[in-house]
Amino acid sequence: MDGKEMARKHKKLILAGILCCSIVVDGGFFPMVNFNPQNPVDLGIPHRLLVVMGALWFHQAVGCLEAAVFPKWSGGRIAVFNVFLVVLGLICRYLLEFGEVSNSYNFTVRNVFFQVTLLALMSTAVCLFERRKS
């Protein structure tokens, strides 16, 4: 049994893992880049680069799993699913820090738009690329 067959056989388990890990990664790595000039915390370039690369690496893995688990889904459906995953992580992050000042610095339209667009696009592009490759 190859990896794709095994992924399809354990579809529900893989989906649950993607969902749980997405909440942790997408919420925990937010904001990858903070566009708010009034942000009091500067993490520095090396730390920020690690955060961006970690999030992109995770979403590359999600895209590979999606290509194996959802071979018949359209690109649009995969994109909507990926946006849902990222937004769910951001909602959990917002609720975790509800009432804290950091939410006013972090949850700006630019930060949320950048995070959702970049990460959902990464997963979707990798998924579609993996499908064409095989």
Side-chain angles (χ1 to χ4, degrees), residues 51-131:
V51 168
V52 170
M53 295 307 294
L56 291 177
W57 171 77
F58 172 77
H59 279 276
Q60 181 265 336
V62 167
C64 289
L65 284 171
E66 288 171 345
V69 174
F70 307 122
K72 301 206 185 306
W73 278 22
S74 68
R77 195 169 178 190
I78 291 288
V80 169
F81 178 70
N82 288 325
V83 167
F84 168 76
L85 289 176
V86 177
V87 168
L88 186 62
L90 294 179
I91 289 170
C92 290
R93 170 69 179 258
Y94 183 82
L95 293 175
L96 180 69
E97 294 185 354
F98 186 74
E100 293 186 20
V101 176
S102 62
N103 271 356
S104 62
Y105 290 114
N106 293 336
F107 281 92
T108 63
V109 173
R110 273 181 155 178
N111 289 347
V112 171
F113 180 77
F114 178 77
Q115 185 104 355
V116 171
T117 303
L118 180 68
L119 297 181
L121 188 64
M122 177 69 174
S123 296
T124 304
V126 168
C127 177
L128 296 176
F129 177 76
E130 285 293 321
R131 282 191 195 165

Side-chain angles (χ1 to χ4, degrees), residues 9-20:
K9 184 179 176 185
H10 300 288
K11 186 176 183 176
K12 289 182 182 178
L13 183 64
I14 290 173
L15 252 150
I18 288 173
L19 185 67
C20 292

